[in-house]
Amino acid sequence: MTSTSSTLLLNPNTKIRGFSFAILGAVLMSIDPIFIRFAGVSGVDTAFLFGLFTAISMPIVLQLNDKRGLMQAVKLSGWPLLLTAGLMVGSAAGLVFSIKNTSIANTFVILSATPALAAVFSWLFLKEVTSRTTWLAIMAVMVGIAVVVSGSFGAGNWFGDLLALLSVTCLALMFTLLRKYQDVSRLATVGLGGLLLAIVMFFFATPAEYSLNTWLIMAAMGLFTAPIGRVLAMVATRHITAAEVSMTMMLETVLAPIWALVFFSEIPAFETLVGGGIILITVFFYTLSSMKNTQ
């Protein structure tokens, strides 16, 4: 048994804290498509603004909340910070461009594969044993995904779906690495990831053409909901396994299509509702079971 596992067993409340962070992070991240659609600009411009505002907000939050200070937190995070920030660039860019090129339901259904990938990556790289309960929950989620895909794949296209696959792979790898390197600042990861994303997209973006409405919408997303949601998900990896974080984040899959219905009248297919219901029920009972077992 690893020292991290021993710590989790000796501190029962840590799992409750971890699941709470992950659930709140999932709710905030599920709102991303609303801002992206309302921004009214291309995927490149959306990604640039998202990265820009995230790079502005995160250093400030880090300086105020981390007693080590900005520079010391970055220094102590070491080289894994660059790797996790790079993975965040891939995850965020893939998400933005996927939403621009396929349906919101398709994007988040593919993102639902995160727990399966995270469990595999944790097993490969961390030698972390994934419980039978977690594997059973993942299988149930996959059934839900299959049901959703059967009715929603036709609404999108292969390019948008491929970008969502890139996003989910980067996200699962990032969760796994953060699980391994506990000292990496989660705030610094999000901030640096945003900066790298903004730098890359700057060469293709057209900021001079943005309306005030676009700036305000993306500021709300880039300064508040998106980075805070991702930080909460990353902080959760300090308290629960990468697979457990990813499983809880499955709530995005259910919530995002609901927001699409409310704000854009994008009515999910019947299969999406059935599959989403399976996923939501699985996540709820899996989280409840984990908390009870810990207590």
Side-chain angles (χ1 to χ4, degrees):
M1 181 179 293
T2 64
S3 59
T4 300
S5 299
S6 299
T7 301
L8 291 176
L9 290 174
L10 291 173
N11 297 278
N13 289 332
T14 192
K15 274 208 168 187
I16 296 177
R17 191 178 303 115
F19 279 119
S20 298
F21 287 143
I23 290 171
L24 182 55
V27 172
L28 291 175
M29 290 169 67
S30 72
I31 305 174
D32 287 350
I34 308 303
F35 293 104
I36 292 171
R37 288 279 181 89
F38 274 131
V41 291
S42 70
V44 170
D45 294 300
T46 304
F48 166 70
L49 288 170
F50 172 38
L52 175 65
F53 286 118
T54 300
I56 292 172
S57 63
M58 284 300 98
I60 297 174
V61 174
L62 192 156
Q63 185 65 38
L64 293 175
N65 291 275
D66 195 320
K67 59 184 179 182
R68 298 175 297 179
L70 175 60
M71 298 307 296
Q72 191 69 4
V74 170
K75 181 179 179 181
L76 293 177
S77 294
W79 66 267
L81 173 62
L82 292 175
L83 190 53
T84 54
L87 288 170
M88 187 200 156
V89 171
S91 176
L95 172 67
V96 170
F97 285 103
S98 178
I99 290 174
K100 291 289 187 179
N101 288 278
T102 190
S103 69
I104 291 175
N106 261 39
T107 297
F108 281 85
V109 160
I110 295 173
L111 287 176
S112 301
T114 305
L117 286 177
V120 172
F121 290 149
S122 294
W123 174 69
L124 286 174
F125 302 124
L126 307 184
K127 306 304 179 183
E128 192 172 78
V129 178
T130 301
S131 69
R132 182 187 303 176
T133 302
T134 299
W135 283 116
L136 289 175
I138 289 174
M139 290 173 62
V141 166
M142 289 303 150
V143 171
I145 291 173
V147 173
V148 175
V149 169
S150 68
S152 64
F153 250 124
N157 60 65
W158 67 269
F159 184 61
D161 295 340
L162 186 62
L163 289 169
L165 182 59
L166 168 66
S167 179
V168 72
T169 301
C170 292
L171 189 62
L173 274 172
M174 184 179 68
F175 284 154
T176 303
L177 285 173
L178 288 172
R179 178 73 177 165
K180 179 177 178 61
Y181 299 104
Q182 296 282 317
D183 292 332
V184 174
S185 169
R186 275 59 177 165
L187 294 172
T189 294
V190 178
L192 181 58
L195 178 61
L196 294 175
L197 181 63
I199 291 174
V200 172
M201 296 301 166
F202 173 76
F203 296 99
F204 308 98
T206 56
E209 299 177 6
Y210 303 160
S211 66
L212 176 60
N213 190 55
T214 295
W215 282 103
L216 292 176
I217 290 173
M218 291 309 300
M221 175 184 171
L223 292 176
F224 302 106
T225 60
I228 292 175
R230 282 160 177 78
V231 167
L232 288 172
M234 292 177 187
V235 170
T237 62
R238 293 180 185 268
H239 307 283
I240 53 180
T241 67
E244 288 172 330
V245 172
S246 299
M247 273 297 304
T248 308
M249 298 300 292
M250 299 296 298
L251 287 172
E252 287 183 87
T253 307
V254 178
L255 293 175
I258 292 177
W259 305 142
L261 173 63
V262 172
F263 290 96
F264 308 114
S265 299
E266 188 176 296
I267 302 176
F270 174 75
E271 293 84 355
T272 301
L273 296 176
V274 174
I278 293 174
I279 293 170
L280 180 61
I281 292 171
T282 300
V283 171
F284 175 78
F285 282 106
Y286 173 75
T287 304
L288 186 63
S289 174
S290 296
M291 289 181 178
K292 286 184 176 180
N293 289 338
T294 302
Q295 290 175 331

